[in-house]
Amino acid sequence: DTAVSQTPKYLVTQMGNDKSIKCEQNLGHDTMYWYKQDSKKFLKIMFSYNNKELIINETVPNRFSPKSPDKAHLNLHINSLELGDSAVYFCASSPRVSNTGELFFGEGSRLTVL
Amino acid sequence: KNQVEQSPQSLIILEGKNCTLQCNYTVSPFSNLRWYKQDTGRGPVSLTIMTFSENTKSNGRYTATLDADTKQSSLHITASQLSDSASYICVVRARSASGGYQKVTFGTGTKLQVIP
C-alpha cells in the first residue's frame, strides 16, 4: 500500500529512557515532517526535511534529534524522556516544500512516559 | 502573529442533521486553506482545499466556503452520518515570497460527534 507508515504505534516507557520512532513514506515525496499532537489535539510542527536536508526546526528541546537517511525515511530519536513528552507524534510527507499540496499523515505513534 | 481559530470546540448532533464548523484566521499573506478530518486514533486526512479565488467547494456531503476578505472559512456537513464523528482541523498555509517553505498554521480543531 502507498502510505506514510510509522512505528511503533504505541510506546510506553520510563522517564529518563531514550526511544526512537521510525517513519517511512513510499509516495515519492520530497518533504517529510514530524508533528506533536498534545492532549488538546493541537498539532505542532517539530521538524521538516526536504530531500534529507533539515529545513524546519521549531523550538524543540535538543533531546529530540531527527535523522533522515534518505528522502523516504525520517526517524525521531528522543533522549532522556520527560513526562511532558507524552503525546501522539505524527509523521507526514508532502510532494515538495514549496507546493500547495496536502500533507499526508501517518497513523501516529502514541508515546506515554511514566 | 499567524493564528487559526476554530469554533465550536466540540459539537454533538443527531444523525441526519446538518452542521457548520467555523474557521477564522489571521495568516498573511494567504496561500490556501485546507480542511482535514481526523478520525480517532488516525492521522488527519485532507477533505478539501480552498485557494484565494475560490468561494465554495464541495466534496460529497462536505461543502467548504472561503471569504478571503474577512478571513473566514466554514465547513458545512449535510445529512450527517455516524462516520462523520471525528475532529475537523482547519489548516492555513502562508504564501512564500521566495517560493520556498510555506509556513503552515493549524487550528485547534472541532470535535464532532454524530449520535443515532
Side-chain angles (χ1 to χ4, degrees):
Chain A
D1 288 349
T2 53
V4 178
S5 56
Q6 49 184 115
T7 56
K9 191 169 173 66
Y10 299 97
L11 191 51
V12 181
T13 188
Q14 298 286 334
M15 236 176 18
N17 284 349
D18 303 338
K19 290 293 176 187
S20 292
I21 307 172
K22 294 185 176 181
C23 180
E24 175 183 3
Q25 55 93 6
N26 59 5
L27 297 165
H29 291 168
D30 287 344
T31 310
M32 295 185 72
Y33 312 79
W34 276 110
Y35 286 88
K36 180 180 180 181
Q37 188 171 48
D38 59 27
S39 56
K40 294 184 178 178
K41 305 297 183 185
F42 183 65
L43 273 159
K44 190 173 179 183
I45 182 81
M46 298 174 69
F47 302 102
S48 178
Y49 273 72
N50 186 57
N51 271 323
K52 301 194 299 176
E53 181 187 346
L54 180 66
I55 55 170
I56 301 172
N57 184 351
E58 294 292 313
T59 357
V60 177
N62 56 16
R63 296 183 296 105
F64 290 78
S65 51
K67 276 201 172 68
S68 182
D70 55 62
K71 76 173 192 177
H73 295 84
L74 180 60
N75 304 323
L76 182 66
H77 187 76
I78 315 170
N79 289 328
S80 304
L81 279 157
E82 299 177 357
L83 294 176
D85 297 333
S86 295
V88 182
Y89 292 85
F90 283 97
C91 178
S93 70
S94 65
R96 54 187 168 91
V97 67
S98 61
N99 81 323
T100 57
E102 67 187 276
L103 294 164
F104 293 78
F105 286 88
E107 298 282 90
S109 295
R110 181 176 291 276
L111 171 65
T112 302
V113 182
L114 304 175
Chain B
K1 182 182 176 183
N2 288 337
Q3 285 187 312
V4 177
E5 294 185 354
Q6 293 185 240
S7 61
Q9 199 170 30
S10 62
L11 184 60
I12 301 175
I13 61 172
L14 290 173
E15 188 180 8
K17 297 296 185 183
N18 304 336
C19 67
T20 300
L21 315 179
Q22 299 289 346
C23 174
N24 296 339
Y25 62 92
T26 60
V27 174
S28 183
F30 175 83
S31 176
N32 63 66
L33 180 151
R34 279 191 184 270
W35 283 94
Y36 284 81
K37 179 187 179 189
Q38 184 177 16
D39 292 316
T40 301
R42 308 293 293 272
V45 175
S46 177
L47 289 174
T48 186
I49 180 173
M50 304 295 290
T51 57
F52 189 85
S53 58
E54 295 173 309
N55 297 121
T56 304
K57 186 180 285 185
S58 291
N59 176 7
R61 295 178 298 101
Y62 300 104
T63 299
T65 66
L66 175 68
D67 185 333
D69 292 330
T70 61
K71 299 188 176 181
Q72 296 179 325
S73 176
S74 67
L75 182 69
H76 185 75
I77 305 174
T78 305
S80 60
Q81 300 176 358
L82 297 179
S83 59
D84 293 331
S85 295
S87 288
Y88 292 83
I89 304 170
C90 177
V91 181
V92 184
R93 188 179 289 260
R95 186 163 32 89
S96 166
S98 62
Y101 168 64
Q102 298 176 324
K103 187 173 174 63
V104 170
T105 305
F106 284 76
T108 50
T110 292
K111 183 163 181 160
L112 173 66
Q113 188 178 353
V114 181
I115 57 176

